[in-house]
Every structure is written in C-alpha cells, then in structure tokens.
Amino acid sequence: MTITENKTTNVIGTRLLRREDPPLLTGEAKFTDDLNIPGALHLAVLRSPYAHAKIKSINVSAALKIAGVIAVYTGKDLQTTWAAPLPCAWPVTKDMKNPAHYPLAIDKVNYVGDGVAAVLATNETASRDALDAIDVDYEPLQAVVDLEDALSDKNIIHNDLGTNKSYTWPLLVEDTPGCVEEAFKKAKYKIKERYVQQRLIPMAMEPRAIAAVPQPFGGDITLYSATQIPHILKVMTALTLGIPEHQVRVIAPSVGGGFGSKLNVYAEELLCMALARKHNTPVRWVEERSENAQATIQGRGQIQHIELAADENGKITAIRVRIIGDMGAYLQLVTPGVPLLGAFLYGGVYDIPKAYDFSCTSVFTNLTPTDAYRGAGRPEATFAIESAIEALAREMKIDSFELRKRNYIKKEQYPYTAFSGLVYDSGDHLTAAEKAAKLTDLAGVRKQQKKQNVPGATKLLGVGMTSYFEMCGLAPSRVLASLNYSAGGWETATVRVLPTNKVQVITGSSPHGQGHETSWSMIAAEKLGVAPEDVDVLHSDTAISALGLDTYGSRSLPVGGVAIAMACDRVIEKAKTIAAHQLECAAEDLQFVGGTFSVKGSPDRALPLAAIAFGAFTAHNLPEGCEPNLEAQVSYDPPNFSWPFGTHMCVVEVDAETGAVEILKYIAVDDCGIQINPLIVEGQVHGGVVQGIAQALFEEAVYDGDGNLKTSTLAEYLVPAACDVPPITTAHTTTPSPTNQLGVKGIGEAGTIGAAPTVINAIIDALSGLGVKSMAMPASPQTVWKTIQAARGGKK
Amino acid sequence: MIPAAFDYKRASSAAEAISLVSQYGSDAKFLAGGHSLLPLMKLRLAQPAMLIDIGRVKDLSYIKDAGKHIAIGALTRHMDVETSKVLHEHAPLLSHAAGHVGDAQVRHRGTIGGSIAHADPASDLPATTLALGATYVVQGPKGQREIAAANFYKGFLESDLAADEMLVEIRVPKMQGAGWGFQKFNRRAQDWAIVGVAAWRRKNEAGVALVNMGSTPILATSVADALAKGASVGDAAALASNEADPQSDLNASTEYRKHLASVLVRRALEDASK
Amino acid sequence: MKVSITVNGKEHHGDVEPRTLLVHYIREVLGLTGTNVGCDSSSCGACTIHMNGEAVKSCTILAVQADGSNVTTIEGLAKDGVMHPMQTAFMENHGLQCGYCTPGMVMAAVGLLNENPKPTEEQVRVGLEGNLCRCTGYHNIVKSVLAAAGSK
C-alpha cells in the first residue's frame, strides 16, 4: 500500500509541531561551540591579507612568547602531516586541472583568507592575540579577479597547471549534427543575452565550529563539527590524514544552518584533527563572521551567455549556452560540479527539441573558493532561461506569460523524456502558473499598472514571474557515475521496533534546520501505526548512523525519507510472517491496518505490532528460520532525480527617482509532490524565497581589483532583516512523484531557485516603459537608478 | 571579535572622567554606550590602551525644558530621546531621528553624546542636531565651554573636542511648531544612511543638514538661503550638494549621492512644508 | 577586574579582563550557552539578552559594564519547565528552523512586546530589524510574535 493510494493518512500531511523546537527555544540545544570540552586547546588561523602573493618568510617567535600560546605551525611545518590534499570529490572531466590544496599554504597564497599559520593556545583570547604577533613577509603578486581576465591566461595563478582553466564541460545534444546552428539560422526570432550570477556568501547564522577530541588509547578520534556531511567527512578526513576510517567518529551536534556552506571538507577540520592527535589533547576552533566571509565557501559566480531560437509562434527551437564558472582559488569538495548541476536545466520547464548546445569553462581566480550554495547551479540556470524567455517575449512583442504557455511541457507529456535523456517524473506547469496568476490578481495588477505607470510617475508598478524546475533528490548513482562524481547518491535507513513497541529510525540524513526528526517520525508512524512521539530519530553521529550520504541537494526526503518507508515495509513484512505464525494463518490472509495485523474477515483474530515486537524480542514462538528482533536496514538508490516545480510571481514598486525597490506582494506556488508536513514545507519555501529575494536586491560578495573582500561583515554584506522583505504567500499544487512510494520530491532549494528571476523580471517590467530591458543583480537602488538613466540616454 | 587588551577605569563624575583622561592623553577613550567604539575595537580597527567608562556618571542623563531650548544630558540614551514627551512637543525632528538610529537593542545602550562625540558623518544625530542649530556643552580641566554644532565637526571622526574634554550636554533650540522632515535612505532598515536629510522649516526660515555626504555632517546653507529668498522647494533642493563633498563607497557613487541628496532634500522639505 | 552580575535571578561573582565581552562571560564563564554569537559587527542580534529589563546586544557590552546589573538570558525565560508564551508562540507557528538565531530573536521579541504590547505587523518587522535569520524568511517569526501579542 503506497502512501498515495491510502486516502486516510493519519499523520502524513498534518502540520505536526516540531520536536526539535523545545531545546532550541530554551537554549538547551548544543551547537558545536557550546560543547564543554575540558582541557581543549584553541586553534586560530592566520590568514593571508593578499589575494596573490609569495610567502617569503614567517616569523612566529613573538607569538610564541604570548602567555597561553602552546605552538605555532606553518604550512611547511605540517607538510608531512597530510596523506593527501583536501579532497575534490567531482573531477568533472578526465583532464580537469585541480591544484593541490593543503590546509595551510606553503609557498604561495592564492586568496585573501588563505590559511598561512595555525596557532594553538590554552584559551581563545591568547590564540587571537597571537595572530597579531606573527610576522609574515609576503611578496605580493598581481591578483586575477575578473573571469574574462582569468580565461585569457595572461596571469596564471597555479604555475604548475600552466593555465587558469580548470575544465571545459560540454553538453551538446543534437538530433542531427549541426541542427543547433541551423535552427539559429532559420529562426524567425532569436535573442542573445548575457547575465552575471554574482558571488554570494551563504552566511548561515552559526559560524563554523569544530572540536577534535582524541581518545587516549587506540588512536581513535572524535570530530565534532558544524557540518552538513558527517558521513562524507569521516571518510574524507580519514583519507586526508592517512588514518584508518574506523578510527574516526564524526558527530554533528545541533547545526545552525548550512545552505551548502557546511557541505565541505575544510582546512580547519583537518588542522584540528591533526593537531589534536599531535598534542594528544582536544583542539577546538570557531570562526569569526568576517573570517567566515573569506574562509567558508561562497556561492554562484558565473558569466552566462544564452541564446534562444524560436519559430513564428515563439516555440523554442534551439538553445545555446556558454558559461564561465568562477571556481575561486582552489577546488573544494564539489566546486567544479556546481555549474554542471544546472547544465541540464537551461531549457527550464519548456518542451525543448534535441537542439541544445551547452558548454561551461571554469577558471581559477584569486578569490575564495566557490561551492554549493542553496540551489547549486539550478538558480543560475533558472535565472538564465526565465530571463531569456522574457527577452524573447520582448522581441516578439507578446506577453511573456503567453509565450511561456506556448512552450510549457504539458501535463499529458509526463513522465517526460527530455532532450538530455533525463526523465522528468511529473509536472503540470500550466496549473501552477495559473494558480499563481490568480493569487497575484495578475489582471488587476496589470490594470493598476496602466493607471499608475504614466510618464513622469515616480512610483512604477511591475509584475514578474518565474516558472521553474528543480532537479533534486540527488541522485541516481549511475547518473552520478556518468558525470564523474566520486560518490553515489543513495541513502540509508534502519527502522527498529524495540520490545516495548517504541521505534528507532536511524537515518543517513544530517539535518541542520529542516526538521527531519519530526518528518521522519511521521513517516514511520504512518507506516507502522504508532504515534510519532513513540518514534525516536537518530542521526548525525557516525557511531550510531554508520552509513549515509548526508543532507544537501534537497535529497533527504525523496531519498532518505523513502528509504525509511522502505525499511518500514520490510519490518512489516517480517512482522507479518511472525503474526501469521502466531495466528496460525497464511501471511496473505493478513492485513495491517492501524498498527494491527488481523485476519481479513475475522477481526477478532488479531495481533498488534506491539505484541509482535515483544514476541520478536522474547523469540519464544517464532516461525522456522525467523531471526529474533524486528528491524530492517535499507540502502536506497533512487532510480531518478526528483523534479519539483512551480511558478512564483511578485509585484514591485520602483521609485524612479531613487531606484529603491519595494516588493508589494510575493506569491509562491510550488509543487513538491506529496507533502509530509505542510508546516515544514512552507517554512522551507519562505526561507528559500527570501534568500532568492536577497540575491536579487541585496547581496553580493564585492571584491576590489586586488582581490580584497569589501563585504566581509554582516554590516556590509546585506542579509536582509524582517522589515526588508515582504510576507510570502505560499500555495501549492500536488503532483505526486511516480518515482517513489511516498510520492515526494523535496522542497529545500525550490524557493531560492524561483525567487531571484521573479524579482528581477518584476523590476524590468516596472521600468519597461522607460526602455529598460535588463537589470543586473543585485538590483541595488544605485544600480536601478543608473539603469534608468542609461535607458533614458542620460536625461534625468 | 576579541578586542586587543586595554586598561579600564570607571569615572563616577564628569570631573573625575576629565581628570583621568588628562592623565592618559590620546591613549584613552571614553566609553559611554560603547555602540560606536566597541564595534571598532572588536575588529581591532581601534586599539585604545585605556577605556574610561563614563556610563555610570549619574547626573548626565536627562531631558529638561530650559526655556528657549531643551537641555539633553550627553549620556541620555537614544531610546530615551526617541520616547521623550518633552522632545515630541518641542523638537520632534530629533526624537524622530533618534528612533531611526540602529535598532532597538542599540538604542537601549547608545547615547546621544557618544554619537555626537564620535563625529561620524554617517550618523543621524550629528546631522540632526546640526540642522536644529544645537549647541554642545563641553567640559574640560579648565571648566565648561559651549560650541555651536556648526563649528564642532572638523573632519572625519574629528571634532573640536580636545583630548581632555568631554561632551556633557546638548542644547537643542525649541522648534516652536516648525514643520520638519527626515529622510534616511538605506538598503536595509538597520543600516547607516546612504544619504540622510534632517530638515525643518517655518515659512522661509529653514535648517537642512545632510548625513553621509562628506567627511562631516553637512549644513546645507545654500538650501536654507534659497528658501529664505523665496525659492520653491524643488529649486532649493537642487542646491543640496553645494556644501557637500560626498564619498564613493560600496553603496553609492559620488554622482548618485548628489542626486539622492537633491531628491531627499526635496522630499524632506515637502514634509516640512505641509 | 571583579564583577557581580545577577543572571536569571542568581548573583554571580567573577574576575574578568576588561576586554571580556558580556556574551563571552555568559557563555564561557557562566556556561549559559543558549545565547549565541553570529557576527562581529553588532548586526545579527543572536546575542540579544535583557539587561535591566531591556533587550540589548551582549556582544557589544563589556562584562565590566554589566557589573551590578540584572540580566535575563534565554535560559531564564521558561519558568518551572513551562515555556514562556513567546517560546510557545514560536513553536506553534514554526518560527524557527535551525534555531541558532532563535534565542536572540525570542529575547528581542519579548522586549518588543514589553514596549509595544499590540504591534502591527509592520511594527513587528521594524521592531526586529536588529535580528537576522537565514532560515525562516521571517514570515513565521512575525506570525509567532503577533500570535504571542494576541494571546495576552
């Protein structure tokens, strides 16, 4: 019985309040920096103030004299500590260039923030004071900051590579060779656009924190880290340090947000572990916010060129995309793969023929390394196609919603095999879009717009939309193999019914705000007929959850949650055989409803799961060959990605005199298939949308020509507050995924994917009467004002 | 996050504070609310060797009707300036501006004296008190002196305060029913103004000052003079940047600042002219 | 330098360097780790506590400045195991996700309602301008605060 068939779900679909909340609300929850670790030494890292420089010498003698300072290490001192450099788990091409990256720089620094020395002290204050006392003699070199400059190879960052180009990755899909070029030649309409996806700083509210605690005998070490990936960290740190994998235990305590920035193997984690083992004492570290801005990965960073060819009806006949990806100074865990995650989505939600020419060249720059940040490649792709389709509509002088309708993949076409060969599981773009239009009162807004946007008007009204696709639920392992990703995409679940009918769920997912404990308890409760509060969900400790692939890419529900459902199925299967034996009937004669096995037609011949669980424990009367205890473990490799989709719309008012933008309303219609907990789904959409709005209006990691980060505090890097963003109207359609028994798709990144182009399109719409056809991100008041001036030809 | 080490002394009176700072000279800084100084020290952009905590000086927090002006003790917190009934009645431009400083938590700690003494051109209260023609009362080893706001600000973070002097009172002339306008243009509500305007107007008499349009708060005398000569609000506002020397930074170029200044002065004066 | 600070009703005596921030004193000396550090520019509000009944950012106060004062941290809100109405409102309205900004947000919200018991939505949003959240998008935080205000 699948969840989608069972019309009377008890728990799934309810707005169950989160069990995670009380300890978080009362301050009892422990984040990594809250842990009490007596005797721990504090690590501080001295970071390069230059984006590109040779290290001539490092003098630590003054630092060593500071009371409390135990030791100071340079990159050279620690060279023999590492069995391998920091890992990059995604060699996207065979010839991809990947410079060796060690936890501390040795001869050369390659970005502002690059670690140069490590201080160990008995207290955090001394470790911080010691940083000021270390004298490094740098020979500054010219920094490479601009992508097109990097591409030219005039100034090579990693000498041993001989180029700044890390890789070129093409995705050329042609029905017949040369059909893309032909389509452009024949096209009735074509557009060519250039967009810049600015660098963003994830700014999870909890700065990264670590504590490495060695065990005195046996060589074991426990790594506490504010990480999204305890399992991956375990194997990667073991390999990098050259220690046996089974001697490493990784625990993620409460983690204060990640958004991809804690999906990594960081220098500081390796430094804490190595120095803890060296000194045989715990070593802990916490980053300062301005340190986080430089030393924790940044997101996005692309220059995009997109071309669309269309026929006389506006039906897209070919797409051509060229991306330059900004890798930053080094390749961190999945840095090179981020642009590729979007590579398949430049056709968006549209019915595209096999005429798709995509290529991404990624380059090194003397800037903080980039990596996955909420959406990882898909917001970039969605921005490009949803802006390009607006450009096409302008070219054709028709309404862009109308143009989208002509191109949407139709509901009847699902499951839809795309040009790429990927199968999109389910969708109904038109219904979601029309629902968004209704909630926005699109017709009313257009009427108001006509009245309001008269020549000379100060406040201009605009409405924008985005219809998006999300490729998530990472991922079918064989597809990851074809993309050269070094790991798989499965997830594990163990479901165990304890003797007294309490349930343990052990998941390989690693939540950091998403409410997995609540949602997973709901799945198990629904399947097993127990109350959610009788389900304990264990995670984020590799000694307890030994196998898993952690949380990112909106994968935990469509992969991890489904694994739990499957493990419950196996438990029920085993319980059924025990029940059949104890009820002296055939297993096929039994039904399992409301937590009880009963003989169909004889409701009095019944056994509750509680009795089976206790019976499995006593093992007094089990069928031949049946092992005691009631548990099952599943490793689930999803057969497909999952494809949430939706349409977002927003109404903005632009002050033409100042360039200030106010969002009057924001409507998000999202379809993530079946919703386990609508409360949590809405929260994910709210948060994702606001990050996308922030990208459109507020945020940018600004570097000067020398590679200095000008926005390294939360005073300069503009994460918005409550009064800077609007309330979000959320609605949904429900198009269950046929890929899994729960019908679920995942929602974690969808809001961010839809929001930025929605806002930018609305601003362009508001200013279209002034001749504005494009808007750079972030659309700060100055940028908006300058764009207006340029469109007016400089006249005020 | 952790400031460099410093020595710390508490003063229980203005006289004691001045005597202490005389001993330590330019190595010492006063600590009132700390919301201008401590953020700089946490990033180690400021590393004073000695902090003289004047936060407990008892008789420097008050708002009194002194006849022609309102007398505000230098240690009066922004929150108290914001909510003062006396100021609502007699200097609403100031109480309104105080409500826009930082956020609620900052306003519970930061003081009007601290803000003015810090002399940051991007702060709201220096410009607002400048527009209102305030007088600052300053105490030193030789006694008290009064400085007109227009003569107080010398350069970026530089004022007429000597190293051994302390701001003790701000005297704000009563507005006597004048109309007023306050424009604080920023990207996020908690931010400093990209450009700000504090303006009052009674018929053709006006005071207009600009936030973040130069190395000091700027008294836009050209605007006030134009209004006095009968210019329209729009024409007067066009002169907004005459006295200004705006910097280019992350959020705004010089050109954009100048443009904003004229728009915002016009809007502030429109409010003040209602 | 010796300090005496009453925290959640209990008087604590300490000896601190003048440069010790109040937030570090609370977290590291008193072991009350509910109050969090989220930034280094007094922007995020995760460190918000009540000092003498008012919401303040404990990262921008020296412990020596707090000598003799009365401090309430997030740990002091619930009474006898019963959550404060604001904490309950946040739970009922899904006003938190990762929970890192939450102690500061709740303390700021309690302070807001102490000064303005029946705020409009706009006043709640402006009243929380000093508190940043990266997870919730604020929608449910605002809902939680309005619910807490309505329940009085």
Side-chain angles (χ1 to χ4, degrees):
Chain A
M1 174 190 73
T2 67
I3 297 293
T4 45
E5 286 166 10
N6 179 8
K7 307 250 185 319
T8 53
T9 62
N10 295 314
V11 165
I12 286 186
T14 63
R15 303 168 73 87
L16 188 66
L17 299 184
R18 298 192 336 158
R19 63 175 57 181
E20 290 88 340
D21 288 358
L24 293 169
L25 282 165
T26 57
E28 285 163 29
K30 295 286 178 215
F31 296 91
T32 302
D33 195 50
D34 298 340
L35 299 174
N36 181 25
I37 303 175
L41 298 177
H42 290 258
L43 171 74
V45 179
L46 182 67
R47 300 186 185 279
S48 168
Y50 293 103
H52 198 196
K54 290 193 186 140
I55 301 172
K56 307 251 306 274
S57 66
I58 304 179
N59 187 345
V60 308
S61 51
L64 286 169
K65 295 202 182 89
I66 291 176
V69 174
I70 303 291
V72 182
Y73 296 98
T74 65
K76 277 206 176 80
D77 294 334
L78 296 177
Q79 215 163 343
T80 53
T81 311
W82 321 115
L86 288 168
C88 173
W90 202 338
V92 296
T93 61
K94 280 194 176 60
D95 59 356
M96 182 183 86
K97 301 259 191 300
N98 180 12
H101 180 201
Y102 291 97
L104 289 180
I106 297 168
D107 298 312
K108 199 165 162 270
V109 290
N110 291 303
Y111 69 101
V112 172
D114 207 351
V116 162
V119 172
L120 274 191
T122 55
N123 62 83
E124 201 180 337
T125 303
S127 72
R128 177 64 191 85
D129 287 342
L131 295 183
D132 287 349
I134 299 172
D135 189 15
V136 183
D137 188 12
Y138 293 102
E139 182 189 310
L141 303 167
Q142 180 74 44
V144 180
V145 171
D146 172 78
L147 290 186
E148 274 144 348
D149 181 35
L151 208 54
S152 75
D153 275 347
K154 274 198 303 252
N155 178 5
I156 294 183
I157 297 171
H158 300 289
N159 296 319
D160 52 332
L161 300 180
T163 176
N164 290 328
K165 291 194 264 298
S166 178
Y167 67 85
T168 295
W169 190 89
L171 177 64
L172 177 63
V173 181
E174 289 190 310
D175 204 17
T176 56
C179 68
V180 169
E181 183 57 34
E182 227 191 284
F184 276 99
K185 285 209 178 78
K186 282 197 327 220
K188 181 80 198 312
Y189 299 102
K190 54 187 182 201
I191 56 97
K192 184 175 183 162
E193 298 273 295
R194 178 183 186 272
Y195 305 120
V196 175
Q197 301 296 315
Q198 80 273 33
R199 271 175 171 256
L200 300 174
I201 304 178
M203 295 293 194
M205 289 317 298
E206 179 204 21
R208 287 192 294 125
I210 298 164
V213 183
Q215 306 309 308
F217 305 105
D220 286 8
I221 185 161
T222 298
L223 175 69
Y224 296 91
S225 181
T227 181
Q228 297 173 229
I229 55 165
H231 297 98
I232 295 174
L233 205 50
K234 173 180 162 140
V235 67
M236 292 300 185
T237 54
L239 289 171
T240 309
L241 290 171
I243 59 183
E245 187 190 349
H246 61 287
Q247 284 179 1
V248 177
R249 176 180 181 183
V250 180
I251 299 175
S254 288
V255 177
F259 315 110
S261 68
K262 293 171 177 166
L263 157 59
N264 230 301
V265 180
Y266 279 108
E268 297 82 11
E269 284 157 334
L270 277 319
L271 284 169
C272 283
M273 289 175 80
L275 296 177
R277 296 175 81 226
K278 199 180 181 91
H279 288 262
N280 218 7
T281 191
V283 173
R284 67 191 307 169
W285 172 84
V286 65
E287 71 183 347
E288 306 196 349
R289 179 56 66 184
S290 40
E291 195 180 5
N292 163 276
Q294 298 173 348
T296 293
I297 60 94
Q298 295 182 358
R300 316 274 189 266
Q302 288 183 3
I303 296 179
Q304 305 168 311
H305 290 95
I306 181 169
E307 298 172 77
L308 299 180
D311 67 17
E312 63 276 8
N313 292 316
K315 194 96 190 355
I316 298 169
T317 55
I319 301 180
R320 189 150 51 204
V321 178
R322 295 287 179 271
I323 309 284
I324 309 175
D326 181 354
M327 303 286 90
Y330 301 102
L331 302 182
Q332 297 244 183
L333 194 66
V334 296
T335 304
V338 170
L340 274 47
L341 285 170
F344 301 89
L345 289 182
Y346 285 81
V349 295
Y350 308 116
D351 184 24
I352 309 293
K354 283 200 175 135
Y356 188 87
D357 177 7
F358 169 97
S359 178
C360 172
T361 296
S362 285
V363 294
F364 296 106
T365 55
N366 285 121
L367 305 175
T368 297
T370 58
D371 210 309
Y373 169 57
R374 205 164 193 172
R378 289 100 76 208
E380 296 91 309
T382 303
F383 186 93
I385 179 62
E386 286 301 290
S387 301
I389 200 148
E390 294 283 331
L392 182 59
R394 277 191 293 273
E395 180 74 7
M396 292 177 63
K397 296 190 175 35
I398 65 170
D399 176 65
S400 67
F401 192 3
E402 171 56 35
L403 180 58
R404 285 183 172 85
K405 286 181 193 172
R406 295 181 191 180
N407 281 282
Y408 282 146
I409 301 169
K410 294 194 195 13
K411 182 179 177 181
E412 309 81 73
Q413 291 176 283
Y414 280 99
Y416 174 86
T417 302
F419 62 90
S420 53
L422 289 170
V423 177
Y424 303 161
D425 55 11
S426 63
D428 184 356
H429 305 291
L430 185 61
T431 301
E434 285 178 338
K435 188 163 187 173
K438 188 146 177 260
L439 288 168
T440 309
D441 185 21
L442 185 58
V445 171
R446 287 289 184 209
K447 251 201 241 155
Q448 173 62 24
Q449 191 180 33
K450 267 207 175 70
K451 271 198 279 181
Q452 186 170 332
N453 292 12
V454 294
T458 303
K459 295 275 175 78
L460 298 170
L461 200 66
V463 58
M465 70 179 288
T466 291
S467 291
Y468 75 90
F469 232 155
E470 222 295 55
M471 177 175 142
C472 67
L474 304 184
S477 299
R478 57 181 165 71
V479 176
L480 294 178
S482 71
L483 293 172
N484 254 25
Y485 180 69
S486 301
W490 44 264
E491 197 43 88
T492 63
T494 299
V495 173
R496 180 178 299 137
V497 186
L498 297 172
T500 59
N501 208 34
K502 306 297 183 199
V503 178
Q504 277 184 331
V505 170
I506 303 175
T507 175
S509 74
S510 303
H512 38 282
Q514 297 92 331
H516 290 178
E517 290 179 20
T518 300
S519 299
W520 295 179
S521 75
M522 292 167 75
I523 295 172
E526 187 79 36
K527 293 288 271 186
L528 299 173
V530 300
E533 51 271 26
D534 287 339
V535 179
D536 192 17
V537 179
L538 304 167
H539 59 88
S540 302
D541 179 341
T542 60
I544 297 171
S545 165
L547 297 169
L549 285 173
D550 304 310
T551 293
Y552 41 83
S554 307
R555 66 186 305 269
S556 293
L557 177 57
V559 192
V562 171
I564 293 167
M566 293 168 65
C568 288
D569 286 341
R570 290 194 195 169
V571 163
I572 293 167
E573 206 46 50
K574 177 170 181 177
K576 203 178 219 184
T577 62
I578 298 173
H581 173 78
Q582 294 187 356
L583 288 171
E584 293 172 350
C585 65
E588 313 82 73
D589 295 337
L590 284 175
Q591 60 186 17
F592 181 62
V593 177
T596 297
F597 290 96
S598 62
V599 179
K600 293 173 197 165
S602 308
D604 50 310
R605 286 178 67 204
L607 272 176
L609 185 65
I612 310 288
F614 196 71
F617 164 70
T618 62
H620 288 169
N621 181 15
L622 296 180
E624 193 67 43
C626 176
E627 292 175 10
N629 293 313
L630 198 55
E631 63 174 358
Q633 182 181 340
V634 166
S635 288
Y636 168 57
D637 196 343
N640 193 0
F641 296 91
S642 66
W643 307 87
F645 64 92
T647 289
H648 290 192
M649 284 191 180
C650 84
V651 180
V652 302
E653 206 165 61
V654 181
D655 184 328
E657 286 187 313
T658 63
V661 174
E662 192 191 342
I663 300 178
L664 298 182
K665 43 177 160 170
Y666 193 102
I667 282 89
V669 176
D670 301 287
D671 191 319
C672 57
I674 299 292
Q675 298 187 2
I676 301 298
N677 186 328
L679 191 64
I680 291 178
V681 171
E682 286 162 15
Q684 289 297 308
V685 174
H686 294 155
V689 164
V690 166
Q691 280 184 307
I693 290 174
Q695 174 181 343
L697 296 179
F698 293 102
E699 294 181 27
E700 183 181 9
V702 178
Y703 283 93
D704 67 16
D706 293 322
N708 296 305
L709 180 62
K710 310 306 279 179
T711 54
S712 60
T713 71
L714 282 169
E716 298 137 344
Y717 186 83
L718 303 178
V719 170
C723 49
D724 305 313
V725 294
I728 315 291
T729 301
T730 49
H732 65 275
T733 56
T734 305
T735 313
S737 171
T739 306
N740 61 72
Q741 60 160 285
L742 294 176
V744 299
K745 294 190 176 191
I747 192 66
E749 292 157 296
T752 302
I753 288 166
T758 302
V759 175
I760 296 296
N761 285 344
I763 297 172
I764 296 172
D765 185 64
L767 303 177
S768 55
L770 302 177
V772 167
K773 291 188 166 63
S774 68
M775 183 60 61
M777 289 194 290
S780 67
Q782 175 172 240
T783 295
V784 172
W785 181 75
K786 281 189 168 160
T787 307
I788 294 172
Q789 300 314 106
R792 279 173 169 158
K795 288 176 283 195
K796 280 216 186 129
Chain B
M1 189 64 186
I2 300 174
F6 54 86
D7 285 329
Y8 170 88
K9 287 224 185 311
R10 277 192 199 136
S12 49
S13 69
E16 188 184 354
I18 284 151
S19 140
L20 281 168
V21 83
S22 306
Q23 288 173 49
Y24 292 97
S26 59
D27 274 344
K29 293 226 81 164
F30 289 125
L31 177 69
H35 276 55
S36 299
L37 183 58
L38 290 177
L40 291 176
M41 291 175 67
K42 282 158 65 183
L43 294 173
R44 300 202 176 193
L45 297 171
Q47 299 190 23
M50 158 73 74
L51 282 192
I52 297 165
D53 188 350
I54 55 173
R56 286 158 208 272
V57 173
K58 274 192 184 5
D59 43 6
L60 283 183
S61 175
Y62 54 83
I63 300 174
K64 290 188 232 167
D65 185 334
K68 285 233 170 68
H69 68 263
I70 307 297
I72 306 171
L75 292 177
T76 307
R77 303 170 312 153
H78 299 311
M79 180 62 77
D80 296 324
V81 175
E82 179 191 359
T83 54
S84 157
K85 286 195 170 63
V86 172
L87 287 174
H88 283 168
E89 190 185 337
H90 294 293
L93 173 56
L94 180 60
S95 56
H96 179 89
H100 282 268
V101 173
D103 53 58
Q105 292 98 311
V106 169
R107 295 194 287 277
H108 285 135
R109 293 290 298 168
T111 64
I112 181 168
S115 177
I116 285 168
H118 192 62
D120 191 334
S123 294
D124 303 306
L125 299 190
T128 304
T129 50
L130 178 62
L132 288 168
T135 302
Y136 305 139
V137 181
V138 148
Q139 186 164 326
K142 305 198 196 100
Q144 284 194 353
R145 64 187 179 104
E146 292 173 23
I147 311 171
N151 298 330
F152 183 77
Y153 301 100
K154 298 297 181 195
F156 182 66
L157 303 186
E158 263 182 68
S159 71
D160 196 45
L161 275 173
D164 59 0
E165 284 181 317
M166 191 176 129
L167 181 61
V168 291
E169 184 175 278
I170 295 99
R171 294 181 182 161
V172 177
K174 287 183 178 174
M175 288 175 68
Q176 290 162 350
W180 57 272
F182 183 78
Q183 294 280 320
K184 182 170 180 174
F185 188 84
N186 48 23
R187 291 173 70 183
R188 294 180 309 180
Q190 65 154 266
D191 294 338
W192 304 98
I194 295 176
V195 173
V197 177
W200 62 269
R201 181 183 193 177
R202 192 186 309 105
K203 301 212 175 105
N204 285 354
E205 226 196 311
V208 179
L210 309 177
V211 179
N212 214 0
M213 283 292 286
S215 56
T216 66
I218 305 290
L219 191 61
T221 47
S222 300
V223 174
D225 290 345
L227 286 172
K229 295 195 179 97
S232 71
V233 161
D235 288 344
L239 307 170
S241 302
N242 274 21
E243 288 74 31
D245 176 27
Q247 310 302 305
S248 233
D249 63 19
L250 271 178
N251 291 311
S253 64
T254 299
E255 186 206 356
Y256 178 58
R257 276 210 154 80
K258 285 183 174 170
H259 166 75
L260 272 183
S262 58
V263 172
L264 298 174
V265 165
R266 194 196 80 231
R267 291 181 182 182
L269 288 174
E270 281 164 359
D271 286 342
S273 306
K274 283 189 186 135
Chain C
M1 173 130 192
K2 295 223 185 321
V3 293
S4 171
I5 308 175
T6 301
V7 181
N8 300 332
K10 189 164 167 228
E11 198 176 350
H12 292 271
H13 302 283
D15 196 345
V16 296
E17 269 193 271
R19 60 171 161 167
T20 303
L21 302 176
L22 182 58
V23 67
H24 287 145
Y25 182 74
I26 288 169
R27 284 178 54 80
E28 290 159 26
V29 177
L30 300 184
L32 295 168
T33 56
T35 304
N36 292 324
V37 173
C39 77
D40 51 13
S41 52
S42 310
S43 308
C44 80
C47 66
T48 303
I49 55 163
H50 289 184
M51 193 162 122
N52 300 331
E54 292 175 323
V56 294
K57 293 184 173 178
S58 62
C59 72
T60 317
I61 299 173
L62 301 171
V64 293
Q65 286 179 291
D67 184 26
S69 66
N70 209 325
V71 165
T72 308
T73 69
I74 189 72
E75 290 91 342
L77 269 201
K79 292 274 181 282
D80 301 319
V82 177
M83 290 205 295
H84 184 283
M86 185 63 72
Q87 290 167 312
T88 305
F90 267 69
M91 180 159 174
E92 289 176 350
N93 292 278
H94 191 33
L96 63 150
Q97 292 182 25
C98 81
Y100 196 77
C101 78
T102 303
M105 191 71 73
V106 167
M107 296 308 284
V110 172
L112 169 64
L113 291 193
N114 284 345
E115 290 175 359
N116 184 359
K118 295 279 182 199
T120 62
E121 169 163 351
E122 182 63 21
Q123 287 171 333
V124 171
R125 284 182 181 266
V126 173
L128 294 177
E129 63 183 333
N131 288 72
L132 299 179
C133 169
R134 217 29 174 160
C135 293
T136 68
Y138 305 105
H139 186 100
N140 283 345
I141 289 177
V142 173
K143 212 166 153 209
S144 301
V145 179
L146 290 171
S151 68
K152 286 207 189 122

